[in-house]
Amino acid sequence: MITFLYDAMASRLGEARAAQNPGPFPLDGLVRNIHGDFTPMMCGGISALLLQMLHPLALAGVWDHSSFRHDMVGRLRRTSDFIATTSFGTFAQAEEAIARVRRVHANVRGHAADGRPYSADDPDLLTWVHVAEMSRFMAAHLRYRNPHLERESQDRYFFETACIAEALGARNVPDSCAAVEAYLDTKRRELICDERTQEVVQVLLNAPPRHLIFRPAGALFMRAGIDLLPEWAANQLELDMPRLQRQLVRAGIKSAMPMISRAVRSGAYRRALVRFQARP
């Protein structure tokens, strides 16, 4: 069996540490703690997708090979399923999910609007997608769950989750707060917002949640995702928010979190966590 993830984790943490866990991350570890928190993860996931679409090659892959116009919610759900499996599953389950994504990526290739070739298994592009996701997940956790999380713990989160990107084929993955910040600052010169970007963003922001119970909170989640963007990214996407609106969005999310937690307790998300033996 090909073990992309186990090999990546053993390379980072050592064979003994990797062998101690039933899956990629410790049962009571920081990664599971963050990734098991539904509301911040939802807000962070939306923010990550918005940020990812500023990269012209990432955008081209979505534009040419995705059904985003008709099923943006489905795309978000598939991403969520991958995060859940690699975070809470066994090594076998996580390896299967990674192998499946690698097979899909092998067929996603073409040319961007500017004529440059792209492929979804490009190591540099995989690094971009990963950093956009993990940086926004951490931003959401700091805003809505633990704003006082020590820098050392944040570094550990980026270090441990880098093995997922490496198992997918990424390289030179930033694995600390400082490295992530420097990486995003460097990538800014490559990012653009054109008509295609704006169309994908509008489809995302107008996508209704699949379940009726979440529809009243849908717009709030979207605004929270925008609020979590780096200021320069929000400016580039023309998604600036007045200070008062930001304050209202943050207050709304914090107020809604207990209700949302109760709503998902018996839903598919909670059942997935139970199935993967995640922390309640």
Side-chain angles (χ1 to χ4, degrees):
M1 176 181 178
I2 298 175
T3 56
F4 299 115
L5 179 55
Y6 186 87
D7 291 346
M9 184 177 179
S11 175
R12 284 191 156 268
L13 305 180
E15 185 71 30
R17 167 74 184 277
Q20 290 175 357
N21 296 328
F25 305 109
L27 296 177
D28 58 350
L30 182 63
V31 173
R32 287 190 173 211
N33 187 354
I34 292 176
H35 290 182
D37 201 352
F38 179 83
T39 301
M41 284 294 287
M42 177 68 73
C43 299
I46 291 168
S47 190
L49 188 53
L50 290 169
L51 182 57
Q52 288 167 1
M53 292 305 95
L54 283 171
H55 195 300
L57 301 186
L59 174 69
V62 171
W63 188 270
D64 294 339
H65 296 273
S66 171
S67 59
F68 74 92
R69 295 175 185 83
H70 313 292
D71 191 25
M72 180 61 81
V73 173
R75 176 181 172 81
L76 290 170
R77 188 183 69 253
R78 288 187 291 275
T79 300
S80 177
D81 288 345
F82 178 80
I83 296 294
T85 303
T86 53
S87 299
F88 304 116
T90 64
F91 270 114
Q93 291 167 327
E95 294 281 7
E96 181 181 354
I98 287 170
R100 184 165 56 249
V101 170
R102 289 177 70 116
R103 289 194 296 270
V104 172
H105 282 176
N107 296 313
V108 177
R109 56 190 68 245
H111 290 80
D114 59 9
R116 282 185 294 165
Y118 70 83
S119 62
D121 53 10
D122 174 6
D124 293 332
L125 196 54
L126 289 166
T127 298
W128 164 253
V129 171
H130 172 80
V131 173
E133 288 180 347
M134 298 305 119
S135 68
R136 296 311 92 201
F137 293 156
M138 177 56 71
H141 181 76
L142 292 172
R143 175 155 297 158
Y144 292 115
R145 186 59 69 184
N146 185 6
H148 305 297
L149 184 67
E150 302 86 351
R151 187 86 166 182
E152 180 181 357
S153 295
Q154 296 178 46
D155 285 342
R156 187 171 75 252
Y157 172 79
F158 290 121
F159 180 82
E160 292 187 356
T161 55
C163 70
I164 301 296
E166 291 166 344
L168 286 169
R171 64 187 178 198
N172 302 321
V173 182
D175 57 7
S176 69
C177 290
V180 166
E181 291 164 2
Y183 174 85
L184 289 174
D185 187 60
T186 300
K187 296 298 287 187
R188 286 178 60 178
R189 65 177 66 98
E190 301 178 28
L191 308 180
I192 64 171
C193 181
D194 57 15
E195 292 182 2
R196 284 184 168 190
T197 315
Q198 291 287 1
E199 180 173 335
V200 174
V201 167
Q202 289 307 310
V203 170
L204 171 63
L205 296 182
N206 293 324
R210 189 176 298 273
H211 300 291
L212 288 175
I213 193 170
F214 292 130
R215 290 190 178 180
L220 186 61
F221 278 135
M222 294 299 174
R223 303 311 293 178
I226 294 170
D227 181 43
L228 286 167
L229 286 168
E231 183 178 358
W232 53 263
N235 291 340
Q236 195 167 7
L237 289 165
E238 300 179 7
L239 292 174
D240 305 294
M241 292 174 63
R243 182 179 179 84
L244 177 59
Q245 187 177 22
R246 290 181 183 274
Q247 293 173 341
L248 292 173
V249 166
R250 295 174 192 182
I253 289 291
K254 290 177 181 178
S255 297
M257 284 175 70
M259 177 189 68
I260 294 171
S261 295
R262 289 193 296 271
V264 302
R265 190 166 294 145
S266 60
Y269 180 81
R270 178 57 55 180
R271 290 197 300 271
L273 297 190
V274 171
R275 186 170 67 251
F276 293 133
Q277 299 181 339
R279 189 165 74 89

